[in-house]
């Protein structure tokens, strides 16, 4: 588990707000913390990261991670990063780390927003693309990793947790009592029926969704929907063997780590 937070807009965040936000993020990533400010004319981009080291625990893989004109902050894990890295190497890419972070970033450089279709994993990330002057945000297919955003006249704030956004804007967000009441009546399953949250004007980036933020606009698109494909020719034995194969394969991928279990 790592923590990410950031801002894109026309104001400049104060150092005390950044330091306070990083302090709040330590519970999500105690191994390293970093931040970067990128300025494009009247547009300011701040990216913050708090790291829990799992893959390539060396300093070279700390975040924000920059390659050329691209910078990423990333919470999660790309389980098939080794296979993707091999494909990217065949396409001419070179790597300076053994991290899935670098693989994710260079997959974006190669495939653009379509990169998410190659990933087997869980993620919430933000990539600043200096060529296109856009901030690219994405959340994994099932929404395992959290990502909230808040928009006001100054720009868009985003983070793994609400308290980082409140730290950025130096105030508490007002409570959405209607959503709270619905939750108390109907339970947790109701929480994701809409894009509402427990705070007014605070949104969550939906699962399987990308968001592209530019100087003048932001747009979201759903990149994946679950599908059920019925194979009438499959035998019971084939079904059992298939479940066993895919279950063991998924466990093998998820147990990749450079630290002890």
């Amino acid at each position: 588990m790592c923590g990410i937070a950031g801002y894109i807009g026309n104001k400049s965040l104060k150092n005390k707000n950044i330091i306070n936000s990083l302090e709040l993020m330590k519970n999500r990533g105690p191994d390293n913390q970093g931040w970067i400010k990128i300025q494009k004319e009247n547009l300011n981009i701040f990216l913050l990261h708090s790291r829990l080291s799992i893959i390539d625990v060396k300093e070279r893989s700390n975040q924000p991670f920059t390659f050329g004109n691209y910078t990423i902050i990333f919470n999660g894990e790309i389980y098939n990063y080794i296979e993707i890295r091999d494909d990217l190497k065949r396409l001419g890419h070179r790597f300076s780390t053994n991290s899935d972070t670098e693989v994710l970033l260079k997959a974006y450089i190669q495939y653009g927003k379509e990169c998410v279709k190659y990933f087997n994993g869980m993620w919430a990330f933000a990539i600043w693309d200096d060529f296109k002057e856009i901030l690219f945000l994405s959340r994994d297919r099932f929404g395992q990793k959290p990502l909230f955003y808040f928009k006001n006249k100054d720009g868009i704030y985003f983070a793994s947790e609400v308290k980082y956004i409140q730290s950025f804007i130096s105030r508490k967000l007002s409570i959405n009592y209607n959503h709270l009441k619905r939750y108390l009546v109907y339970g947790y399953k109701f929480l994701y029926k809409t894009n509402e949250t427990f705070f007014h004007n605070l949104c969550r980036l939906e699962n399987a969704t990308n968001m592209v933020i530019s100087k003048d606009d932001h747009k979201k698109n759903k990149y994946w929907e679950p599908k059920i494909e019925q194979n009438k020719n499959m035998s019971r034995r084939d079904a059992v063997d298939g479940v066993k194969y895919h279950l063991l394969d998924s466990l093998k991928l998820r147990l990749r780590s450079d630290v002890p279990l």
Side-chain angles (χ1 to χ4, degrees), residues 247-260:
L247 177 61
L248 293 178
D249 184 61
S250 68
L251 287 171
K252 180 181 177 181
L253 287 175
R254 282 157 178 76
L255 289 175
R256 285 173 170 170
S257 174
D258 291 334
V259 295

Side-chain angles (χ1 to χ4, degrees), residues 31-184:
D31 296 323
N32 185 76
Q33 292 190 308
W35 67 279
I36 190 172
K37 177 184 178 181
I38 302 166
Q39 192 165 12
K40 299 292 293 185
E41 297 180 353
N42 296 327
L43 190 66
N44 294 314
I45 303 95
F46 289 82
L47 301 174
L48 286 69
H49 188 267
S50 193
R51 185 183 183 195
L52 177 66
S53 302
I54 301 295
I55 304 295
D56 192 355
V57 299
K58 296 180 180 179
E59 183 179 345
R60 64 189 181 184
S61 294
N62 289 341
Q63 300 177 48
F65 184 90
T66 298
F67 177 79
N69 291 289
Y70 306 90
T71 300
I72 184 173
I73 50 174
F74 164 45
N75 171 30
E77 187 173 350
I78 306 302
Y79 302 128
N80 62 333
Y81 76 99
I82 293 176
E83 290 77 12
I84 296 174
R85 184 175 63 199
D86 290 341
D87 290 340
L88 292 171
K89 282 182 177 179
R90 284 191 284 270
L91 291 170
H93 291 271
R94 297 290 180 266
F95 292 84
S96 60
T97 76
N98 294 322
S99 68
D100 55 341
T101 302
E102 185 178 13
V103 171
L104 194 165
L105 183 58
K106 291 188 175 177
Y108 171 80
I109 294 171
Q110 178 67 37
Y111 304 116
K113 65 180 182 179
E114 299 296 310
C115 65
V116 294
K117 296 181 179 179
Y118 294 82
F119 300 152
N120 178 352
M122 54 180 179
W123 66 82
F125 66 77
I127 295 175
W128 171 251
D129 183 334
D130 204 59
F131 280 121
K132 297 179 179 178
E133 296 189 4
I134 60 169
L135 188 66
F136 178 64
L137 276 64
S138 182
R139 196 168 175 217
D140 62 73
R141 292 175 180 84
F142 294 100
Q144 291 174 264
K145 292 301 180 183
L147 190 56
F148 299 94
Y149 66 94
F150 173 79
K151 183 181 179 182
N152 64 12
K153 62 181 178 62
D154 298 322
I156 295 178
Y157 304 82
F158 64 91
S160 301
E161 296 187 36
V162 180
K163 57 188 176 183
Y164 313 153
I165 294 175
Q166 293 182 141
S167 173
F168 283 154
I169 63 177
S170 300
R171 66 177 176 86
K172 297 285 187 180
L173 296 174
S174 59
I175 296 174
N176 183 348
Y177 285 103
N178 286 332
H179 192 62
L180 179 59
K181 290 173 184 176
R182 286 194 292 266
Y183 164 64
L184 293 174

